[in-house]
Amino acid sequence: MEIAWEQIKDGFRGFERLALEFVKKQFKNPTWEKTSETRDGNKDAIAYVFGYRSNKTQQAQWWMEAKYSTDQALVTRYRLDATIVSAILNGHVKKVVFVTNIAIRAKTIIDIRNALTKATSCHDVVFCTKPILENWLCKNPNIYRNYFPPLAPGETLRQSDPIYLTQEIDFYQRSLDSVVFAEPCKILKCDARYVGHFSVYCEDNRTVTLKKNRHCQGVSISGERTFALHPGENPIKFEVALSSKLPDESAFYFLLDNIEVFPSNCIHLSSQRSIHYELPGQKKIVERIRESLIQFLRKNYCEYWAISAASGSGKTDMLEQLASDQALTNEYL
């Protein structure tokens, strides 16, 4: 069953207690203590942030952050950045656990893990999202009853299947996949490559294979097709190449073993190729930013750049040029 989160007893306070009980039972090493409580300002209906960390006497810190909402379906990357920056500045954080009753995009999960892994010694970042919390509550009906009203006649707590899809596919331009604020594509063009991100929940360790729908002509999967899944939510990243012969849009989906995986948005497949226009002023700006980034990587030398221009003037194209630059391709922007 899908849990009615708006019915949790005592609202966000009840979710705070539930999230704390969850991490205490799932991560039993440290003792957890509450940090100062901060308000989100309710700008996106994610009302409060609750912070917990392991005991200060422990040299290796474990952090937990809980986010609760009854109005939004997705936690954005922007709502998680404060924790990332704090963990980087602290320097002693070894594990970060995000607990939420809503979803987090698969690419956001990968972006945050990359950011913390590359900038800190924190190589253990755990995401406990809506399906994980709900499955845990269904397995522990006594805990469910402590936080929610009695079930209606005929209702039962039904556990999920051993493996199921938690997010459909978001596609990104290949050159922008290492850029953390990239938006998913709505149009995929012929003779181009894209990176797809989706996620699945799994009860156990298993290996799965991704393949395209057999009616999906003109599309091929490049690189990795076999993925090792572990208990919990698993973000999956793969690459596709589109030829000049595009399939019918209704046939554009994939299979993870026997699970159908569709694009998360209405994707339009276009036979129109991208045309690149080189503008002297834009080229000069890109070259200056490129040199600044290289200096930062070599000498920790940093500059701030603010590019302001009208919509459609090529700002995103400049980011694409930087992201695909050979000198920066191994860096995470």
Side-chain angles (χ1 to χ4, degrees):
M1 65 168 289
E2 186 168 323
I3 290 174
W5 287 98
E6 68 277 5
Q7 295 181 11
I8 193 169
K9 297 176 183 176
D10 205 16
F12 64 87
R13 299 285 186 194
F15 185 77
E16 176 187 14
R17 293 191 293 270
L18 174 64
L20 182 57
E21 182 167 355
F22 175 82
V23 295
K24 281 182 174 179
K25 291 184 181 298
Q26 298 295 107
F27 309 102
K28 297 182 179 179
N29 274 337
T31 56
W32 296 91
E33 62 180 28
K34 188 175 181 179
T35 61
S36 59
E37 184 178 300
T38 57
R39 296 186 65 132
D40 255 0
N42 204 26
K43 292 179 181 176
D44 60 0
I46 301 175
Y48 284 80
V49 178
F50 306 106
Y52 283 81
R53 64 186 174 198
S54 53
N55 192 287
K56 290 181 181 178
T57 59
Q58 295 179 204
Q59 186 174 3
Q61 291 288 299
W62 288 19
W63 285 7
M64 183 273 278
E65 179 172 302
K67 288 188 176 288
Y68 170 73
S69 177
T70 58
D71 297 318
Q72 297 293 306
L74 197 67
V75 177
T76 65
R77 162 69 195 272
Y78 303 95
R79 286 296 168 194
L80 302 173
D81 276 344
T83 301
I84 298 170
V85 172
S86 296
I88 291 171
L89 294 175
N90 179 280
H92 299 291
V93 180
K94 301 298 181 184
K95 180 194 287 284
V96 176
V97 183
F98 293 98
V99 183
T100 179
N101 68 316
I102 52 181
I104 302 176
R105 273 196 173 121
K107 185 178 185 300
T108 300
I109 291 175
I110 292 174
D111 285 344
I112 290 174
R113 283 179 174 160
N114 279 332
L116 286 173
T117 299
K118 289 177 179 290
T120 72
S121 58
C122 177
H123 294 176
D124 193 357
V125 186
V126 183
F127 292 84
C128 304
T129 55
K130 177 181 177 180
I132 296 174
L133 273 184
E134 291 189 348
N135 209 38
W136 177 72
L137 286 169
C138 289
K139 287 181 177 180
N140 297 274
N142 290 334
I143 296 176
Y144 174 88
R145 285 191 284 269
N146 289 337
Y147 293 95
F148 292 88
L151 295 172
E155 281 190 327
T156 58
L157 292 173
R158 183 177 61 84
Q159 293 183 33
S160 63
D161 295 329
I163 178 173
Y164 61 90
L165 193 68
T166 56
Q167 185 208 305
E168 295 175 316
I169 308 171
D170 283 328
F171 286 100
Y172 297 84
Q173 293 184 35
R174 188 186 183 204
S175 61
L176 289 181
D177 187 58
S178 63
V179 178
V180 295
F181 292 114
E183 292 296 322
C185 296
K186 295 182 180 178
I187 299 175
L188 306 185
K189 296 184 177 181
C190 65
D191 295 326
R193 291 176 178 268
Y194 295 90
V195 176
H197 290 266
F198 67 98
S199 59
V200 292
Y201 175 82
C202 191
E203 282 283 316
D204 50 25
N205 292 303
R206 65 173 70 189
T207 301
V208 292
T209 301
L210 182 70
K211 59 185 179 182
K212 67 174 186 176
N213 165 32
R214 62 188 181 91
H215 299 297
C216 188
Q217 303 299 319
V219 177
S220 60
I221 299 175
S222 306
E224 191 68 48
R225 302 183 186 202
T226 302
F227 303 93
L229 303 185
H230 305 286
E233 188 156 8
N234 296 264
I236 292 179
K237 171 183 173 180
F238 69 104
E239 188 173 314
V240 294
L242 276 62
S243 70
S244 58
K245 183 181 179 181
L246 297 174
D248 186 276
E249 291 178 0
S250 63
F252 186 61
Y253 65 91
F254 301 83
L255 295 166
L256 188 71
D257 284 357
N258 60 345
I259 301 174
E260 294 181 341
V261 190
F262 291 87
S264 62
N265 297 308
C266 181
I267 293 291
H268 175 59
L269 303 178
S270 172
S271 57
Q272 181 180 358
R273 291 174 174 83
S274 297
I275 301 174
H276 178 71
Y277 296 98
E278 188 173 280
L279 303 177
Q282 187 184 82
K283 184 178 179 180
K284 185 176 180 180
I285 292 172
V286 169
E287 185 58 34
R288 289 183 64 187
I289 297 176
R290 177 183 179 275
E291 289 301 320
S292 179
L293 286 170
I294 290 173
Q295 288 299 317
F296 169 73
L297 296 173
R298 289 175 180 169
K299 302 178 181 179
N300 201 25
Y301 168 83
C302 183
E303 290 182 357
Y304 290 93
W305 285 81
I307 302 173
S308 177
S311 177
S313 59
K315 299 187 297 296
T316 300
D317 184 66
M318 286 192 286
L319 286 177
E320 290 178 22
Q321 291 180 50
L322 288 166
S324 58
D325 191 291
Q326 290 298 313
L328 302 170
T329 49
N330 293 326
E331 300 302 326
Y332 201 70
L333 305 179

